[in-house]
PDB file of all heavy atoms in Angstrom:
ATOM      1  N   PRO U  94      -3.754 -71.303 -57.765  1.00 83.00           N
ATOM      2  CA  PRO U  94      -4.233 -72.182 -58.833  1.00 83.00           C
ATOM      3  C   PRO U  94      -4.064 -71.550 -60.207  1.00 83.00           C
ATOM      4  O   PRO U  94      -4.080 -70.347 -60.378  1.00 83.00           O
ATOM      5  CB  PRO U  94      -5.732 -72.362 -58.521  1.00 83.00           C
ATOM      6  CG  PRO U  94      -5.868 -71.979 -57.061  1.00 83.00           C
ATOM      7  CD  PRO U  94      -4.801 -70.942 -56.805  1.00 83.00           C
ATOM      8  N   GLN U  95      -3.836 -72.414 -61.192  1.00 80.00           N
ATOM      9  CA  GLN U  95      -3.753 -71.934 -62.578  1.00 80.00           C
ATOM     10  C   GLN U  95      -5.057 -71.286 -63.008  1.00 80.00           C
ATOM     11  O   GLN U  95      -5.076 -70.298 -63.749  1.00 80.00           O
ATOM     12  CB  GLN U  95      -3.384 -73.080 -63.534  1.00 80.00           C
ATOM     13  CG  GLN U  95      -2.000 -73.617 -63.253  1.00 80.00           C
ATOM     14  CD  GLN U  95      -1.680 -74.815 -64.206  1.00 80.00           C
ATOM     15  OE1 GLN U  95      -2.556 -75.276 -64.869  1.00 80.00           O
ATOM     16  NE2 GLN U  95      -0.430 -75.263 -64.159  1.00 80.00           N
ATOM     17  N   THR U  96      -6.154 -71.828 -62.528  1.00 81.00           N
ATOM     18  CA  THR U  96      -7.498 -71.283 -62.842  1.00 81.00           C
ATOM     19  C   THR U  96      -8.248 -71.104 -61.522  1.00 81.00           C
ATOM     20  O   THR U  96      -8.250 -71.999 -60.717  1.00 81.00           O
ATOM     21  CB  THR U  96      -8.292 -72.243 -63.738  1.00 81.00           C
ATOM     22  OG1 THR U  96      -7.577 -72.469 -64.933  1.00 81.00           O
ATOM     23  CG2 THR U  96      -9.650 -71.655 -64.087  1.00 81.00           C
ATOM     24  N   GLU U  97      -8.804 -69.920 -61.319  1.00 76.00           N
ATOM     25  CA  GLU U  97      -9.529 -69.641 -60.067  1.00 76.00           C
ATOM     26  C   GLU U  97     -10.638 -70.648 -59.860  1.00 76.00           C
ATOM     27  O   GLU U  97     -11.372 -70.997 -60.779  1.00 76.00           O
ATOM     28  CB  GLU U  97     -10.094 -68.244 -60.100  1.00 76.00           C
ATOM     29  CG  GLU U  97     -10.695 -67.837 -58.759  1.00 76.00           C
ATOM     30  CD  GLU U  97     -11.211 -66.398 -58.797  1.00 76.00           C
ATOM     31  OE1 GLU U  97     -11.085 -65.718 -59.847  1.00 76.00           O
ATOM     32  OE2 GLU U  97     -11.788 -65.954 -57.790  1.00 76.00           O
ATOM     33  N   ASN U  98     -10.707 -71.173 -58.620  1.00 80.00           N
ATOM     34  CA  ASN U  98     -11.698 -72.167 -58.259  1.00 80.00           C
ATOM     35  C   ASN U  98     -11.543 -73.528 -58.956  1.00 80.00           C
ATOM     36  O   ASN U  98     -12.446 -74.345 -59.025  1.00 80.00           O
ATOM     37  CB  ASN U  98     -13.119 -71.690 -58.461  1.00 80.00           C
ATOM     38  CG  ASN U  98     -13.465 -70.541 -57.512  1.00 80.00           C
ATOM     39  OD1 ASN U  98     -13.029 -70.504 -56.376  1.00 80.00           O
ATOM     40  ND2 ASN U  98     -14.256 -69.583 -58.001  1.00 80.00           N
ATOM     41  N   GLU U  99     -10.333 -73.729 -59.541  1.00 86.00           N
ATOM     42  CA  GLU U  99     -10.087 -75.035 -60.174  1.00 86.00           C
ATOM     43  C   GLU U  99     -10.193 -76.149 -59.167  1.00 86.00           C
ATOM     44  O   GLU U  99      -9.556 -76.127 -58.115  1.00 86.00           O
ATOM     45  CB  GLU U  99      -8.695 -75.016 -60.816  1.00 86.00           C
ATOM     46  CG  GLU U  99      -8.316 -76.310 -61.522  1.00 86.00           C
ATOM     47  CD  GLU U  99      -6.907 -76.254 -62.058  1.00 86.00           C
ATOM     48  OE1 GLU U  99      -6.198 -75.316 -61.743  1.00 86.00           O
ATOM     49  OE2 GLU U  99      -6.561 -77.172 -62.803  1.00 86.00           O
ATOM     50  N   ASN U 100     -11.006 -77.159 -59.479  1.00 84.00           N
ATOM     51  CA  ASN U 100     -11.273 -78.284 -58.559  1.00 84.00           C
ATOM     52  C   ASN U 100     -11.770 -77.762 -57.211  1.00 84.00           C
ATOM     53  O   ASN U 100     -11.546 -78.420 -56.153  1.00 84.00           O
ATOM     54  CB  ASN U 100     -10.022 -79.156 -58.335  1.00 84.00           C
ATOM     55  CG  ASN U 100      -9.703 -79.949 -59.606  1.00 84.00           C
ATOM     56  OD1 ASN U 100     -10.591 -80.367 -60.321  1.00 84.00           O
ATOM     57  ND2 ASN U 100      -8.436 -80.146 -59.863  1.00 84.00           N
ATOM     58  N   GLY U 101     -12.397 -76.614 -57.199  1.00 80.00           N
ATOM     59  CA  GLY U 101     -12.923 -76.080 -55.905  1.00 80.00           C
ATOM     60  C   GLY U 101     -11.856 -75.457 -55.019  1.00 80.00           C
ATOM     61  O   GLY U 101     -12.131 -75.125 -53.902  1.00 80.00           O
ATOM     62  N   VAL U 102     -10.644 -75.316 -55.492  1.00 86.00           N
ATOM     63  CA  VAL U 102      -9.528 -74.800 -54.684  1.00 86.00           C
ATOM     64  C   VAL U 102      -9.545 -73.263 -54.727  1.00 86.00           C
ATOM     65  O   VAL U 102      -9.352 -72.663 -55.803  1.00 86.00           O
ATOM     66  CB  VAL U 102      -8.166 -75.328 -55.157  1.00 86.00           C
ATOM     67  CG1 VAL U 102      -7.022 -74.700 -54.389  1.00 86.00           C
ATOM     68  CG2 VAL U 102      -8.115 -76.844 -54.993  1.00 86.00           C
ATOM     69  N   ASP U 103      -9.742 -72.632 -53.610  1.00 81.00           N
ATOM     70  CA  ASP U 103      -9.649 -71.190 -53.496  1.00 81.00           C
ATOM     71  C   ASP U 103      -9.547 -70.787 -51.999  1.00 81.00           C
ATOM     72  O   ASP U 103      -9.585 -71.683 -51.133  1.00 81.00           O
ATOM     73  CB  ASP U 103     -10.872 -70.494 -54.159  1.00 81.00           C
ATOM     74  CG  ASP U 103     -12.183 -70.850 -53.447  1.00 81.00           C
ATOM     75  OD1 ASP U 103     -12.157 -71.699 -52.560  1.00 81.00           O
ATOM     76  OD2 ASP U 103     -13.209 -70.247 -53.769  1.00 81.00           O
ATOM     77  N   GLY U 104      -9.378 -69.521 -51.740  1.00 84.00           N
ATOM     78  CA  GLY U 104      -9.368 -69.050 -50.348  1.00 84.00           C
ATOM     79  C   GLY U 104      -8.104 -69.521 -49.599  1.00 84.00           C
ATOM     80  O   GLY U 104      -7.014 -69.460 -50.125  1.00 84.00           O
ATOM     81  N   ARG U 105      -8.301 -69.955 -48.370  1.00 87.00           N
ATOM     82  CA  ARG U 105      -7.183 -70.344 -47.533  1.00 87.00           C
ATOM     83  C   ARG U 105      -6.877 -71.838 -47.627  1.00 87.00           C
ATOM     84  O   ARG U 105      -7.774 -72.642 -47.800  1.00 87.00           O
ATOM     85  CB  ARG U 105      -7.440 -69.961 -46.057  1.00 87.00           C
ATOM     86  CG  ARG U 105      -7.545 -68.455 -45.828  1.00 87.00           C
ATOM     87  CD  ARG U 105      -7.395 -68.078 -44.400  1.00 87.00           C
ATOM     88  NE  ARG U 105      -8.352 -68.721 -43.505  1.00 87.00           N
ATOM     89  CZ  ARG U 105      -8.480 -68.417 -42.199  1.00 87.00           C
ATOM     90  NH1 ARG U 105      -7.702 -67.527 -41.635  1.00 87.00           N
ATOM     91  NH2 ARG U 105      -9.366 -69.051 -41.431  1.00 87.00           N
ATOM     92  N   LEU U 106      -5.598 -72.158 -47.479  1.00 89.00           N
ATOM     93  CA  LEU U 106      -5.128 -73.545 -47.526  1.00 89.00           C
ATOM     94  C   LEU U 106      -4.462 -73.956 -46.197  1.00 89.00           C
ATOM     95  O   LEU U 106      -3.843 -73.138 -45.566  1.00 89.00           O
ATOM     96  CB  LEU U 106      -4.108 -73.732 -48.599  1.00 89.00           C
ATOM     97  CG  LEU U 106      -4.478 -73.343 -50.025  1.00 89.00           C
ATOM     98  CD1 LEU U 106      -3.211 -73.428 -50.898  1.00 89.00           C
ATOM     99  CD2 LEU U 106      -5.531 -74.264 -50.591  1.00 89.00           C
ATOM    100  N   LEU U 107      -4.585 -75.216 -45.859  1.00 92.00           N
ATOM    101  CA  LEU U 107      -3.827 -75.776 -44.746  1.00 92.00           C
ATOM    102  C   LEU U 107      -2.461 -76.205 -45.219  1.00 92.00           C
ATOM    103  O   LEU U 107      -2.361 -77.037 -46.183  1.00 92.00           O
ATOM    104  CB  LEU U 107      -4.572 -76.984 -44.186  1.00 92.00           C
ATOM    105  CG  LEU U 107      -3.851 -77.760 -43.068  1.00 92.00           C
ATOM    106  CD1 LEU U 107      -3.857 -76.955 -41.768  1.00 92.00           C
ATOM    107  CD2 LEU U 107      -4.497 -79.108 -42.841  1.00 92.00           C
ATOM    108  N   ILE U 108      -1.395 -75.648 -44.667  1.00 90.00           N
ATOM    109  CA  ILE U 108      -0.035 -76.010 -45.078  1.00 90.00           C
ATOM    110  C   ILE U 108       0.808 -76.340 -43.851  1.00 90.00           C
ATOM    111  O   ILE U 108       0.370 -76.152 -42.701  1.00 90.00           O
ATOM    112  CB  ILE U 108       0.643 -74.887 -45.878  1.00 90.00           C
ATOM    113  CG1 ILE U 108       0.855 -73.647 -44.972  1.00 90.00           C
ATOM    114  CG2 ILE U 108      -0.146 -74.520 -47.137  1.00 90.00           C
ATOM    115  CD1 ILE U 108       1.711 -72.558 -45.618  1.00 90.00           C
ATOM    116  N   ARG U 109       2.033 -76.780 -44.107  1.00 86.00           N
ATOM    117  CA  ARG U 109       3.003 -76.966 -43.043  1.00 86.00           C
ATOM    118  C   ARG U 109       4.044 -75.841 -43.169  1.00 86.00           C
ATOM    119  O   ARG U 109       4.690 -75.677 -44.176  1.00 86.00           O
ATOM    120  CB  ARG U 109       3.699 -78.326 -43.152  1.00 86.00           C
ATOM    121  CG  ARG U 109       2.712 -79.483 -42.996  1.00 86.00           C
ATOM    122  CD  ARG U 109       3.397 -80.828 -43.163  1.00 86.00           C
ATOM    123  NE  ARG U 109       4.512 -80.953 -42.292  1.00 86.00           N
ATOM    124  CZ  ARG U 109       5.780 -80.957 -42.739  1.00 86.00           C
ATOM    125  NH1 ARG U 109       6.068 -80.891 -43.984  1.00 86.00           N
ATOM    126  NH2 ARG U 109       6.770 -81.100 -41.878  1.00 86.00           N
ATOM    127  N   GLN U 110       4.157 -75.056 -42.079  1.00 77.00           N
ATOM    128  CA  GLN U 110       4.978 -73.819 -42.125  1.00 77.00           C
ATOM    129  C   GLN U 110       6.476 -74.158 -42.111  1.00 77.00           C
ATOM    130  O   GLN U 110       6.905 -75.061 -41.384  1.00 77.00           O
ATOM    131  CB  GLN U 110       4.674 -72.932 -40.944  1.00 77.00           C
ATOM    132  CG  GLN U 110       5.368 -71.608 -40.963  1.00 77.00           C
ATOM    133  CD  GLN U 110       4.805 -70.697 -42.051  1.00 77.00           C
ATOM    134  OE1 GLN U 110       3.685 -70.883 -42.489  1.00 77.00           O
ATOM    135  NE2 GLN U 110       5.562 -69.737 -42.468  1.00 77.00           N
ATOM    136  N   ASP U 111       7.243 -73.469 -42.911  1.00 66.00           N
ATOM    137  CA  ASP U 111       8.673 -73.663 -43.015  1.00 66.00           C
ATOM    138  C   ASP U 111       9.407 -72.800 -41.952  1.00 66.00           C
ATOM    139  O   ASP U 111       8.782 -72.011 -41.221  1.00 66.00           O
ATOM    140  CB  ASP U 111       9.178 -73.323 -44.429  1.00 66.00           C
ATOM    141  CG  ASP U 111      10.451 -74.031 -44.735  1.00 66.00           C
ATOM    142  OD1 ASP U 111      11.069 -74.629 -43.863  1.00 66.00           O
ATOM    143  OD2 ASP U 111      10.818 -74.010 -45.948  1.00 66.00           O
ATOM    144  N   ALA U 112      10.700 -72.905 -41.896  1.00 62.00           N
ATOM    145  CA  ALA U 112      11.530 -72.082 -41.008  1.00 62.00           C
ATOM    146  C   ALA U 112      12.798 -71.739 -41.737  1.00 62.00           C
ATOM    147  O   ALA U 112      13.168 -72.349 -42.742  1.00 62.00           O
ATOM    148  CB  ALA U 112      11.809 -72.837 -39.715  1.00 62.00           C
ATOM    149  N   ASP U 113      13.537 -70.763 -41.197  1.00 58.00           N
ATOM    150  CA  ASP U 113      14.791 -70.404 -41.850  1.00 58.00           C
ATOM    151  C   ASP U 113      15.893 -71.324 -41.439  1.00 58.00           C
ATOM    152  O   ASP U 113      15.724 -72.237 -40.665  1.00 58.00           O
ATOM    153  CB  ASP U 113      15.142 -68.921 -41.582  1.00 58.00           C
ATOM    154  CG  ASP U 113      15.366 -68.636 -40.124  1.00 58.00           C
ATOM    155  OD1 ASP U 113      15.665 -69.597 -39.328  1.00 58.00           O
ATOM    156  OD2 ASP U 113      15.280 -67.468 -39.715  1.00 58.00           O
ATOM    157  N   ASN U 114      17.123 -71.072 -41.975  1.00 60.00           N
ATOM    158  CA  ASN U 114      18.256 -71.979 -41.703  1.00 60.00           C
ATOM    159  C   ASN U 114      18.732 -71.944 -40.258  1.00 60.00           C
ATOM    160  O   ASN U 114      19.471 -72.797 -39.841  1.00 60.00           O
ATOM    161  CB  ASN U 114      19.424 -71.597 -42.637  1.00 60.00           C
ATOM    162  CG  ASN U 114      19.117 -71.908 -44.089  1.00 60.00           C
ATOM    163  OD1 ASN U 114      18.346 -72.849 -44.348  1.00 60.00           O
ATOM    164  ND2 ASN U 114      19.673 -71.133 -45.002  1.00 60.00           N
ATOM    165  N   GLN U 115      18.317 -70.938 -39.510  1.00 61.00           N
ATOM    166  CA  GLN U 115      18.675 -70.803 -38.107  1.00 61.00           C
ATOM    167  C   GLN U 115      17.637 -71.457 -37.187  1.00 61.00           C
ATOM    168  O   GLN U 115      17.736 -71.419 -35.980  1.00 61.00           O
ATOM    169  CB  GLN U 115      18.858 -69.362 -37.689  1.00 61.00           C
ATOM    170  CG  GLN U 115      20.166 -68.709 -38.234  1.00 61.00           C
ATOM    171  CD  GLN U 115      20.120 -68.449 -39.720  1.00 61.00           C
ATOM    172  OE1 GLN U 115      19.123 -67.928 -40.226  1.00 61.00           O
ATOM    173  NE2 GLN U 115      21.144 -68.845 -40.434  1.00 61.00           N
ATOM    174  N   GLY U 116      16.596 -72.028 -37.803  1.00 58.00           N
ATOM    175  CA  GLY U 116      15.558 -72.687 -37.021  1.00 58.00           C
ATOM    176  C   GLY U 116      14.467 -71.753 -36.567  1.00 58.00           C
ATOM    177  O   GLY U 116      13.582 -72.153 -35.778  1.00 58.00           O
ATOM    178  N   ASN U 117      14.424 -70.507 -37.040  1.00 61.00           N
ATOM    179  CA  ASN U 117      13.391 -69.559 -36.654  1.00 61.00           C
ATOM    180  C   ASN U 117      12.232 -69.672 -37.630  1.00 61.00           C
ATOM    181  O   ASN U 117      12.442 -69.720 -38.836  1.00 61.00           O
ATOM    182  CB  ASN U 117      13.939 -68.135 -36.681  1.00 61.00           C
ATOM    183  CG  ASN U 117      15.111 -67.975 -35.733  1.00 61.00           C
ATOM    184  OD1 ASN U 117      15.056 -68.358 -34.549  1.00 61.00           O
ATOM    185  ND2 ASN U 117      16.198 -67.419 -36.232  1.00 61.00           N
TER     186      ASN U 117
END
Side-chain angles (χ1 to χ4, degrees):
Q95 294 177 352
T96 303
E97 186 176 0
N98 293 324
E99 181 182 9
N100 290 326
V102 174
D103 64 354
R105 297 197 302 186
L106 303 172
L107 175 72
I108 65 170
R109 298 178 53 250
Q110 186 70 22
D111 205 349
D113 63 21
N114 292 330
Q115 286 73 45
N117 302 310

